[in-house]
Each structure stands twice: as structure tokens, then as C-alpha cells.
Amino acid sequence: MKGILGVLAALLLGTPAMAAEIKNVRIWLAPDHTRLVFDLSGPVKHKVFSLDNPDRLVVDMEDSRLLANLDRLGLQDSPVSNMRESRQADGTQRFVLDLNSTVKPRSFTLAPNDQYGHRLVLDLLKTGADKPAPVPVQQPAAVAAATGTLRDVVVAIDAGHGGEDPGALGPGGLREKDVVIAIAKEVYRRLDATPGYKPVMVRKSDYYVSLRGRTKLAREHNADLFVSIHADAFKDSRANGASVWVISDRGATGEVGRWLAQKENSVDAIGGVVSLDDKDEVLAGVLLDMSMTFSMEGSRQVADRVHKNIGKFARMHKPFVEQAGFVVLKSPGIPSILVETGFISNPDEARKLKSSKYQSQMAVAITEGVKDYFWHRPPAMTHLAHRKNGGGQLASLSDRTHKVSRGDTLSVIAVRNGVSLSALRAANGLSNDKIRIGQVLKIPSS
């Protein structure tokens, strides 16, 4: 008996653990990095190291086996010229990446979520020598005012999701990320063709940008407005209607708002964001009450116009602008709106959203709403403001005035004209922040 037990024990101890299967490998190209995603059947231990002469990157995954085909991975335009693989004697699956430019590797594993199973993510970050030349950005209001120059109105256009995050899925494999990038590009084209506007695409093609990364890009370009475009899903396929959203500091307006905000705010788990390094910077910005007052008031006014335009041809989810705690709308000092172009989970709306004609209608509604808002409230020292004022000789900085209209506050006027609140009070002999509609305020030069 002891002999039999010994043999059985030896057999059990000698049986190798089940190797994790590498079922698929995906690649995404972004302006500042390339992402490789390995879809796995289970968790793996891994290590990444570099080799020189020639430059190579090695990825080792313990107790794993490659089942995917690498032939159609699509490495063109990436820093990887070739990718080779081999299985080592100890069961380690090895990948060797031949590099054609210098990169900084970053790797991490992700647990399963609603979209994917276990994953190993390898980001190849561009280094300083390989980064593209910085894109010229518009001067902020204060700089433009100090120099007496005019600038364009900057609108950041954010197509939701992208890369390994497809967003919501509709019938027939329709993906939210494809619908919204088409609408966003049309909004960009229309604004770019309008004198006085400088549109900026948050993502230009199929790659992922984190939620904080989207608002950070808007801030880096000194955007006057942030427009995020989506086409989400709901657990009930009967849900329908387009909607326009602004940030809420008191909670969402209804069950759908809570559901959508929760889904959108959790997409970084799909995109693979493992830290929020800029959270302190964002928190500090939120504490600037003057900027937030301005951005929330502006957000509401833009949203009202876009909502009205979409309602001319589409069913609206609610007859009013809705509110929810979308992270992507929390950008201090920048009016921000989120447009849900429809429920991709609803078969009828999915069919419309797939149509280029409907996509164009949606883009026109958004664009015209944006243009109408800025015509009525053009930022100071912009070509648009100059044109509205008659397009004549630019007034000297000491001659600038502002006529108070409904919804204005002293802090809002200060932010829009690039001056401090104290300077605005002093220039007008004000002992407090009370102003009245129709009052003409003198705008100081700094």
C-alpha cells in the first residue's frame, strides 16, 4: 500500500500546473505611446527587460502558452519593427520586440471586468527625443489681454472611449467608440471651417485616453469649452432618447443619470489606468470657486442650446438638460457638457446612430449650439468678440467695458476677461460683488 501511495504522490507532485493561455494580442497606437494588450485565460507573473545592440524589449510570462497568431498584429507606424516569440524549457512564454525607436516600457496586469478577462498591458511610452513637436496652443485670456492680441475660441471635442475600450455595444456589433469618433470628427470639421474657432480633438483615432487625461488635454490647450460625445447603453433595451448633461454637485437627476455616470466613471478600469497622479492638481482647481462658478454657468447655457437643437430632429430622453457626476466634466474653469447621442442598446436608435446622415445631423446640432453660445458670450480678446463688436479698430485696453446681462456674476466677468476679482472691484469702485443687469463695468488692463 505504501508503495502505491508513494507512486501516486510522485505523479501528483510531478504534474505541471495548468499553463495560462495567451488567447489574443491587441495593439493600439496613441500620439504619446503604443499599447500592447495580452488577453489571458488566467493571471500570470511576468517580467520585462531591455537589451541593447540592437535595441530590444523582452517580455517573459511564467507558466503560459501562446495560442494567438501574431502575423496580423499590425506593427506599422509603431516603435516595434518585429515581434518574435518562443516557449522556454521551464514553460515561460517569451516575446522579443525589435525596436526602431527609444521607448520607456511600463507593464501591469488587470483583473477581469465586464468587458474583458485577465490582461497583461505593456505600454511603450515615447521618450523626449521621439516625442512629436508640441502643438501650438491658444493664449489664455490674461495673456491675450496683456499683449493686446486676438485669439481664436478653442473647443475641445472628446469622442468617448477608444482603443481596447469599445464603450457600449449595440446590435450587430455596433460600437460606441466608432459612432462617436465619426460625430466628433464632423463637429471638428465644421468648427475648423468657421473663422474664429480652433477645435481640438481629444483623441484623433482609435486609442484610449484616460478620463483625467481628457480634461488635462483641454486645460493644456486653454480650451474655452469641453464637449464630450457618447452613445451609451442602459440595462433596459427599451430606454431611448438623446440627452445633454452638465456636472452635478448634488447627485444625478434620475436612475439613468446615476447608471450612466457610474458606467462612464469606471471606464478607466477597462482602459487600464492604474493611478491618478494629477488628482491633487485637479482637487486644487476645484477649490477655485471663481472658476467653477463660471464653468457651471457656461456649461448650462451651452447645454441648453445643444439640447434644443437635437430636439428638433430626435427624441429627447428628458425635456431638459440633465445633471450627473461625470468625472470627465470636472474641469475647473472650462464650461463642459456631455452629449448622449442616443441609446445604442435600443435597436431603433442604434440603426439611426449607424447612419452617416444621422451622425451628420447630430454634429450640426452640437456645432450650431456651440456657435450660438459663443456669439452671445464671446470670450474677451477673441476674433469672435472683435467681430461682434463691429470688427473695427481694437479698443485700447483701458477702454474695455462689459454690460452686465442675466446670469452674470462679478467673478464670472473677471474670469472671462482675464482679470482678478479685486482689480475688477477697484476699477469700478465696488465694495462688494453686487451688480445689476444693464450695469456697464470698466474692465481694467490687468
Side-chain angles (χ1 to χ4, degrees):
M1 175 66 76
K2 289 184 178 179
I4 295 175
L5 291 175
V7 172
L8 289 175
L11 289 172
L12 290 172
L13 291 173
T15 302
M18 182 69 70
E21 297 175 348
I22 305 169
K23 300 184 291 185
N24 191 27
V25 183
R26 295 173 281 130
I27 187 170
W28 309 103
L29 306 179
D32 59 347
H33 73 281
T34 294
R35 169 166 290 189
L36 284 165
V37 181
F38 299 85
D39 290 309
L40 310 168
S41 63
V44 297
K45 293 181 179 180
H46 77 285
K47 60 181 179 180
V48 179
F49 58 93
S50 301
L51 298 174
D52 300 325
N53 299 318
D55 290 337
R56 287 155 292 163
L57 199 64
V58 179
V59 181
D60 280 347
M61 300 185 205
E62 296 182 10
D63 298 321
S64 57
R65 181 188 302 275
L66 177 67
L67 299 184
N69 188 343
L70 302 179
D71 293 340
R72 298 183 180 179
L73 189 54
L75 299 174
Q76 58 272 21
D77 301 323
S78 80
V80 182
S81 59
N82 187 40
M83 185 171 176
R84 294 171 280 127
E85 62 85 16
S86 62
R87 196 158 191 263
Q88 308 300 297
D90 62 356
T92 296
Q93 179 67 54
R94 170 166 291 183
F95 296 90
V96 179
L97 283 63
D98 298 319
L99 303 175
N100 54 40
S101 61
T102 306
V103 298
K104 179 181 178 181
R106 178 183 65 187
S107 64
F108 51 92
T109 57
L110 292 172
N113 57 34
D114 291 342
Q115 296 276 0
Y116 300 105
H118 290 275
R119 288 162 292 159
L120 169 63
V121 177
L122 175 64
D123 282 339
L124 308 178
L125 309 175
K126 291 185 178 180
T127 60
D130 299 305
K131 286 183 179 179
V135 178
V137 299
Q138 291 290 319
Q139 301 178 59
V143 175
T147 59
T149 58
L150 295 177
R151 65 178 183 86
D152 290 331
V153 172
V154 182
V155 179
I157 307 166
D158 171 40
H161 308 277
E164 72 264 30
D165 171 24
L169 302 177
L174 185 63
R175 302 181 298 186
E176 178 183 2
K177 68 174 183 178
D178 298 330
V179 170
V180 299
I181 192 67
I183 296 172
K185 286 182 175 180
E186 181 63 13
V187 173
Y188 177 94
R189 186 188 70 80
R190 289 178 176 276
L191 285 176
D192 192 47
T194 305
Y197 285 90
K198 179 180 175 58
V200 175
M201 290 286 287
V202 169
R203 70 173 177 95
K204 299 178 180 179
S205 56
D206 190 11
Y207 54 87
Y208 185 78
V209 182
S210 69
L211 297 177
R212 296 298 190 196
R214 294 168 191 263
T215 56
K216 183 178 180 181
L217 187 144
R219 295 196 304 273
E220 288 175 348
H221 282 81
N222 295 316
D224 297 290
L225 176 66
F226 180 88
V227 180
S228 191
I229 304 174
H230 292 257
D232 222 317
F234 191 56
K235 53 189 176 182
D236 187 344
S237 63
R238 294 173 297 178
N240 62 83
S243 53
V244 184
W245 299 79
V246 296
I247 193 66
S248 169
D249 57 357
R250 296 183 179 180
T253 51
E255 181 188 4
V256 171
R258 288 188 292 272
W259 171 273
L260 294 180
Q262 182 180 10
K263 282 189 63 183
E264 294 300 339
N265 293 346
S266 65
V267 297
D268 277 347
I270 298 174
V273 174
V274 292
S275 67
L276 293 176
D277 295 333
D278 64 339
K279 58 182 179 294
D280 292 335
E281 175 190 351
V282 173
L283 178 59
V286 171
L287 296 178
L288 296 175
D289 178 66
M290 180 174 65
S291 295
M292 289 306 294
T293 300
F294 164 60
S295 62
M296 293 177 73
E297 174 65 22
S299 301
R300 168 65 68 175
Q301 293 193 20
V302 180
D304 284 339
R305 288 168 165 83
V306 173
H307 186 282
K308 180 179 179 180
N309 286 350
I310 297 176
K312 294 176 181 178
F313 66 89
R315 174 183 172 82
M316 303 304 294
H317 182 253
K318 296 287 186 182
F320 49 81
V321 171
E322 299 181 73
Q323 294 179 281
F326 292 101
V327 168
V328 79
L329 298 182
K330 297 179 180 179
S331 190
I334 304 177
S336 304
I337 67 171
L338 186 145
V339 181
E340 290 285 359
T341 55
F343 283 91
I344 204 169
S345 52
N346 181 288
D348 291 336
E349 292 198 347
R351 186 164 51 252
K352 293 178 181 178
L353 289 167
K354 189 176 181 180
S355 161
S356 58
K357 179 181 178 181
Y358 193 81
Q359 292 172 2
S360 180
Q361 281 182 295
M362 194 63 67
V364 170
I366 295 170
T367 304
E368 293 306 312
V370 169
K371 289 164 62 176
D372 183 55
Y373 166 75
F374 281 118
W375 179 250
H376 285 88
R377 301 193 69 173
M381 304 306 294
T382 60
H383 293 287
L384 197 60
H386 185 45
R387 190 185 313 138
K388 184 181 179 182
N389 291 332
Q393 182 68 31
L394 183 64
S396 67
L397 296 179
S398 61
D399 294 336
R400 290 194 296 146
T401 60
H402 176 87
K403 187 175 182 180
V404 179
S405 59
R406 185 177 299 276
D408 278 346
T409 66
L410 202 64
S411 60
V412 166
I413 297 169
V415 172
R416 293 182 68 231
N417 287 277
V419 299
S420 69
L421 187 57
S422 59
L424 186 58
R425 287 197 201 102
N428 293 276
L430 300 174
S431 58
N432 54 47
D433 293 349
K434 292 182 179 179
I435 53 177
R436 65 182 185 278
I437 296 174
Q439 183 179 356
V440 178
L441 299 175
K442 180 181 178 181
I443 305 299
S445 58
S446 64

